[in-house]
Amino acid sequence: MTSFAPDSIVLNRKLPLWYQVSQSLRASILGRSAQDPLRLPTEEQLAEHYGVSVLTMRQALKELEDEGLITRHRRRGTFIEPSAARGAPVRLLGSVDAIVAQQSGMTTRLLDHGTEPVSAELSEYFPDLTEVATYHRLRSDEKTGEPTNHARNYVRPELAALIDPEDLVRWPMTKVLRDVAGARISQITDTVEARLADPETARLLQVPLLSPILHYTGVVHGEDGRALDVARIQYRGDRFSFTVTLDAH
């Protein structure tokens, strides 16, 4: 049986190899034509193709398996899921300082803040709370004044009590949580997916209704594993790109 042929990649030795390989193979899978075979080469063949160890290749494949892009069958091999689509979320790995630096060069306007009940959608992040503090901000390009994204943050009340809303005009929420509220951050989980602009987003970002946007969800976890902040940000797809710094240590 003929195997799918992934694209080649030049690896950056300063970044985690398994992550680079998984993202390269992911792009090859999502960009394949309908005529391409679904069977992947063996772990050994893929490891040789990318110039990495079999262990590294195995970790990269597990990432794609967890995302639902491939299935692995003992003795039969590894196969691309026929339903694998381009719209699958991309998880970004980075340092806290990289997240803080992400909003540099932007002007921020605080649209509103207050409290609201924990919705069913937020209950998975805040199962112990009935109410969270909310902040809604609009960010614009510092030079042109053009809106680039609008953000809603949902924060634990005990941390919100330590935050001056004006701090959120000057700094990103992650920096405010860490440096102002004194939160001890252990992990940040980022997810980005493509969506279409709803009426509010279209109005705030000055884009046509149903135009492509990037929808970002960021969850900041404390040392006890609890979510401290959930950010939901809508980015203009034609004006914004993600730059992620990865720490291999």
Side-chain angles (χ1 to χ4, degrees):
M1 181 184 290
T2 305
S3 296
F4 176 75
D7 296 334
S8 298
I9 182 177
V10 177
L11 296 173
N12 182 338
R13 295 291 164 175
K14 294 182 179 180
L15 305 180
L17 298 181
W18 68 267
Y19 181 75
Q20 295 178 74
V21 170
S22 71
Q23 293 308 298
S24 175
L25 186 51
R26 180 183 188 278
S28 295
I29 289 172
L30 295 180
R32 74 193 188 284
S33 67
Q35 292 75 35
D36 286 334
L38 295 177
R39 183 181 184 136
L40 288 178
T42 65
E43 288 181 353
E44 291 77 13
Q45 290 169 330
L46 285 170
E48 182 178 359
H49 174 78
Y50 285 110
V52 298
S53 69
V54 172
L55 186 62
T56 295
M57 194 65 239
R58 195 167 293 157
Q59 189 175 3
L61 289 172
K62 184 180 185 306
E63 179 78 1
L64 299 179
E65 184 179 27
D66 290 345
E67 192 178 334
L69 292 180
I70 62 173
T71 55
R72 310 178 75 186
H73 305 276
R74 191 172 183 178
R75 296 191 179 90
R76 289 182 53 214
T78 302
F79 295 82
I80 298 170
E81 275 294 311
S83 59
R86 291 180 180 272
V90 179
R91 290 194 295 126
L92 304 178
L93 309 179
S95 66
V96 173
D97 286 328
I99 300 297
V100 168
Q102 181 177 290
Q103 304 302 334
S104 60
M106 292 187 187
T107 300
T108 301
R109 179 158 60 98
L110 184 64
L111 299 179
D112 60 68
H113 65 93
T115 60
E116 66 178 58
V118 174
S119 65
E121 195 175 4
L122 289 173
S123 62
E124 67 171 296
Y125 306 112
F126 302 110
D128 58 325
L129 297 178
T130 58
E131 188 176 76
V132 287
T134 62
Y135 302 88
H136 187 197
R137 290 167 295 158
L138 178 67
R139 299 190 185 98
S140 303
D141 185 274
E142 196 173 63
K143 295 180 179 179
T144 66
E146 186 177 54
T148 58
N149 66 85
H150 76 98
R152 293 186 187 276
N153 288 81
Y154 304 88
V155 181
R156 300 189 70 87
E158 64 270 23
L159 291 173
L162 303 173
I163 296 174
D164 182 342
E166 287 302 310
D167 290 337
L168 296 174
V169 175
R170 294 180 288 170
W171 300 312
M173 176 62 82
T174 305
K175 178 176 176 64
V176 172
L177 287 173
R178 184 186 66 180
D179 299 343
V180 177
R184 299 180 67 86
I185 298 171
S186 66
Q187 182 182 29
I188 300 175
T189 303
D190 295 340
T191 305
V192 181
E193 56 187 313
R195 290 191 180 181
L196 300 179
D198 57 31
E200 180 188 39
T201 298
R203 176 179 60 82
L204 289 172
L205 300 187
Q206 300 175 18
V207 296
L209 183 65
L210 301 182
S211 60
I213 60 167
L214 295 177
H215 176 81
Y216 163 94
T217 300
V219 184
V220 177
H221 298 273
E223 290 185 322
D224 59 2
R226 296 188 305 171
L228 307 179
D229 164 53
V230 175
R232 289 192 172 138
I233 310 176
Q234 316 286 343
Y235 292 93
R236 282 185 61 153
D238 62 340
R239 292 292 186 272
F240 202 91
S241 62
F242 281 89
T243 300
V244 180
T245 301
L246 293 128
D247 188 352
H249 302 289

